């Protein structure tokens, strides 16, 4: 055996085979495969849910959906929040984008200066939102119901409508989410990096953490990718509360995408580095009890750091520490102090390369400052090379979209059985 091997595999790396397929997909992808927007071609009013939206007009239609129809030809971009009714990052980011700051005189979202069409849906699952619930009133997860069935259950029928009116007809979709109840995510983008258009979209969003993930079965992203529509999922904050910095990053990212696609004027902002990651390492509770977390989403940790302590009121005086297995980044942490043995308390990305870049961009709480989180101005430095970090090493399986705990896993199994 020789030298003792590290106990934890570097799990966030893009495995060799995956890196190869990403490189191949990007190589094969040329701009010729998708027509350039002919800015000189004919451009006319559109109809959406039987409502007319004229050229250069902004109009809010039932649901509500706000449509900006620019004065020049261009792509159709759909920004969606609240697919899960209790995840408020998306609804808040969309509401911000629709505020006077952006839609008022001289604002970034002026249909008169816009190309293409932008559709903003602050809350896709409005019944769930009103019930403060992730699910539809029939207890099902809309983001596992796509493409849906016209004669299926309620959620499945809604999926059919969403598919027909919002997914189809989009060139680009940004789906805004936050962590489910009991945990919180640092701002991150999830995309299938072997889908070239989605890969480029993930970059255009302009933030540091990009997770390569094949979308879960029945998700909106999977459905859209199946139609070759560029789609990313943004994750930031947690359910039932508002993480204002995650909202800021979402707004910043959406504007970056619109700028990158030349839908609105001005240059997009870029992060100083980008961490492309796949897979995950879940840090789990060894014992049940009360959890005391010492880190937050975005915390940088060093191997051996205590990230949490679990104590059991039933056996006072005894406590168990959970330590960082490597140097790295906490991309998600538990917010619910009740834990059972085996429950994840954190989602961890080992970083074995370029840790200095990350350390050069932390706040006084030792958390990574994400591009846009502090309302950073739009900037672009053409000459500065953006570092793409793809650490080499061993790959251990595990999806970034893996379910957090057993309860959810059971639910998704049931749903799969039904479909
Ligand atoms: Zn969600």
């Amino acid at each position: 055996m020789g030298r003792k091997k590290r106990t934890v595999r570097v799990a966030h790396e893009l495995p060799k085979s995956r890196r190869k397929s990403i490189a191949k997909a990007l190589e094969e992808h040329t701009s010729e495969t998708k027509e350039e927007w002919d800015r000189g071609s004919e451009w006319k009013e559109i109809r959406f849910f039987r409502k007319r939206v004229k050229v250069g007009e902004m109009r809010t239609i039932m649901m509500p959906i706000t449509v900006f129809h620019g004065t020049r030809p261009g792509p159709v971009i759909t920004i969606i929040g609240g697919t899960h009714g209790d995840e408020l990052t998306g609804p808040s980011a969309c509401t911000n984008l629709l505020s006077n700051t952006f839609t008022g005189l001289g604002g970034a979202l002026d249909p008169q200066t816009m190309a293409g069409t932008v559709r903003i849906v602050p809350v896709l699952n409005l019944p769930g939102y009103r019930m403060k619930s992730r699910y539809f009133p029939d207890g099902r997860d809309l983001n596992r119901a796509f493409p849906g069935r016209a004669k299926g259950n309620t959620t499945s029928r809604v999926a059919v409508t969403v598919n027909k009116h919002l997914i189809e007809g989009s060139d680009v979709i940004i789906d805004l989410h936050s962590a489910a109840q009991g945990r919180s995510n640092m701002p991150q983008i999830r995309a299938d990096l072997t889908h070239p258009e989605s890969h480029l979209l993930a970059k255009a969003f302009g933030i540091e953490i990009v997770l390569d993930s094949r979308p879960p079965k029945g998700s909106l992203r999977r459905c859209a990718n199946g139609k070759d529509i560029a789609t990313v999922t943004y994750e930031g904050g947690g359910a039932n509360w508002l993480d204002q910095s995650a909202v800021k990053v979402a707004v910043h990212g959406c504007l970056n995408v619109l700028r990158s696609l030349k839908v609105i004027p001005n240059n997009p902002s870029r992060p100083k580095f980008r961490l492309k990651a796949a897979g995950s390492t879940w840090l789990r509770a060894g014992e049940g009890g009360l959890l005391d977390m010492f880190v937050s989403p975005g915390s940088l940790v060093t191997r051996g750091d205590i990230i949490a302590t679990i104590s059991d009121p039933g056996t006072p005086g005894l406590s168990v520490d959970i330590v960082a297995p490597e140097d790295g980044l906490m991309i998600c942490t538990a917010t619910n102090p009740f834990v059972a043995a085996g429950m994840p308390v954190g989602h961890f990305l080992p970083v074995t390369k370029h840790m200095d870049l990350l350390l050069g961009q932390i706040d006084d709480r030792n958390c990574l400052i994400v591009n846009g989180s502090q309302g950073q101005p739009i900037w672009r430095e053409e000459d500065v090379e953006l570092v793409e970090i793809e650490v080499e090493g061993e790959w251990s399986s595990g999806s970034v979209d893996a379910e957090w705990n057993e309860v959810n896993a059971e639910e998704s199994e049931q749903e799969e059985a039904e479909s």
Side-chain angles (χ1 to χ4, degrees):
M1 278 293 284
R3 215 155 54 91
K4 192 173 167 252
K5 284 213 165 172
R6 284 180 171 178
T7 47
V8 170
R9 286 179 172 185
V10 177
H12 73 290
E13 301 164 0
L14 300 175
K16 221 172 213 161
S17 60
R18 188 75 180 153
R19 286 211 309 270
K20 265 190 189 159
S21 38
I22 292 170
K24 189 165 167 262
L26 280 179
E27 212 168 88
E28 285 169 0
H29 173 79
T30 58
S31 49
E32 284 153 34
T33 58
K34 214 149 201 179
E35 67 184 283
E36 275 287 310
W37 301 108
D38 179 1
R39 307 284 184 189
S41 71
E42 199 195 345
W43 183 247
K44 48 189 183 197
E45 65 177 38
I46 51 167
R47 279 186 178 271
F48 192 61
F49 281 98
R50 296 202 191 92
K51 297 283 190 311
R52 185 201 305 213
V53 189
K54 292 183 203 145
V55 167
E57 189 184 52
M58 165 186 152
R59 182 164 186 191
T60 298
I61 292 162
M62 283 273 294
M63 196 183 197
I65 301 169
T66 300
V67 181
F68 300 80
H69 193 44
T71 50
R72 288 162 292 132
V76 176
I77 291 137
T78 304
I79 301 171
I80 297 171
T83 305
H84 292 132
D86 60 350
E87 298 177 5
L88 305 176
T89 302
S92 178
C94 290
T95 307
N96 266 285
L97 284 168
L98 295 173
S99 72
N100 246 338
T101 311
F102 297 105
T103 61
L105 200 66
L109 298 178
D110 175 1
Q112 289 294 328
T113 60
M114 217 181 249
T117 306
V118 178
R119 313 187 292 191
I120 299 181
V121 190
V123 186
L124 188 64
N125 174 2
L126 205 53
Y129 172 80
R130 289 193 172 129
M131 290 161 33
K132 304 181 182 70
S133 164
R134 172 184 181 89
Y135 303 103
F136 244 75
D138 65 356
R140 291 185 171 85
D141 186 337
L142 177 59
N143 208 28
R144 296 292 181 274
F146 289 99
R149 280 172 301 152
K151 297 212 161 134
N153 57 54
T154 310
T155 305
S156 191
R157 291 173 193 220
V158 172
V160 169
T161 307
V162 172
N163 187 16
K164 186 175 161 207
H165 293 284
L166 282 174
I167 299 180
E168 285 172 8
S170 291
D171 295 297
V172 165
I173 299 175
I174 304 171
D175 194 15
L176 304 167
H177 285 253
S178 57
Q181 281 187 40
R183 57 201 207 246
S184 177
N185 278 327
M186 77 171 291
Q188 56 191 266
I189 281 289
R190 295 177 183 181
D192 182 343
L193 297 184
T194 59
H195 183 241
E197 298 279 353
S198 298
H199 193 154
L200 297 174
L201 176 61
K203 287 181 168 185
F205 201 85
I207 66 170
E208 287 81 357
I209 309 300
V210 174
L211 302 184
D212 175 33
S213 94
R214 277 161 279 203
K217 195 178 163 197
S219 64
L220 186 150
R221 182 156 66 91
R222 180 130 153 187
C223 179
N225 275 173
K227 300 173 200 288
D228 201 24
I229 297 166
T231 310
V232 294
T233 303
Y234 168 81
E235 288 274 354
N240 272 335
W241 66 287
L242 262 181
D243 178 335
Q244 289 300 344
S245 70
V247 171
K248 274 185 194 150
V249 175
V251 169
H252 198 252
C254 289
L255 293 173
N256 270 336
V257 168
L258 299 181
R259 289 187 167 107
S260 296
L261 293 168
K262 303 201 187 314
V263 164
I264 59 172
N266 293 328
N267 287 329
S269 158
R270 299 190 308 167
K272 290 189 177 119
F273 61 87
R274 196 180 286 123
L275 188 67
K276 280 191 202 165
S280 56
T281 296
W282 304 91
L283 304 182
R284 291 177 186 276
E287 312 270 331
L290 282 176
L291 179 71
D292 193 4
M293 291 295 292
F294 304 132
V295 292
S296 322
S299 285
L300 281 176
V301 294
T302 306
R303 184 180 193 175
D305 281 356
I306 299 173
I307 65 149
T309 292
I310 297 169
S311 54
D312 184 356
T315 51
L318 279 180
S319 68
V320 181
D321 293 336
I322 299 173
V323 298
E326 290 288 342
D327 295 354
L329 184 66
M330 300 298 309
I331 57 168
C332 181
T333 59
T335 54
N336 185 346
F338 287 103
V339 289
M343 267 176 69
V345 300
H347 190 175
F348 176 73
L349 282 190
V351 179
T352 54
K353 221 190 210 174
H354 292 294
M355 192 64 166
D356 53 315
L357 282 174
L358 280 73
L359 285 166
Q361 197 175 304
I362 52 171
D363 63 16
D364 52 11
R365 287 161 55 245
N366 208 35
C367 290
L368 186 70
I369 300 169
V370 179
N371 192 23
S373 61
Q374 300 179 326
Q376 284 98 326
I378 297 294
W379 57 268
R380 191 183 179 93
E381 293 177 55
E382 295 285 0
D383 301 333
V384 177
E385 194 68 28
L386 187 153
V387 181
E388 298 228 335
I389 307 171
E390 289 178 28
V391 188
E392 284 177 38
E394 269 186 281
W395 156 254
S396 86
S397 62
S399 161
V400 293
D401 290 304
E403 299 295 349
W404 183 259
N405 61 35
E406 292 77 7
V407 179
N408 285 342
E410 270 170 29
E411 279 172 9
S412 60
E413 265 168 31
Q414 276 174 13
E415 278 159 11
E416 286 198 2
E418 276 171 25
S419 59

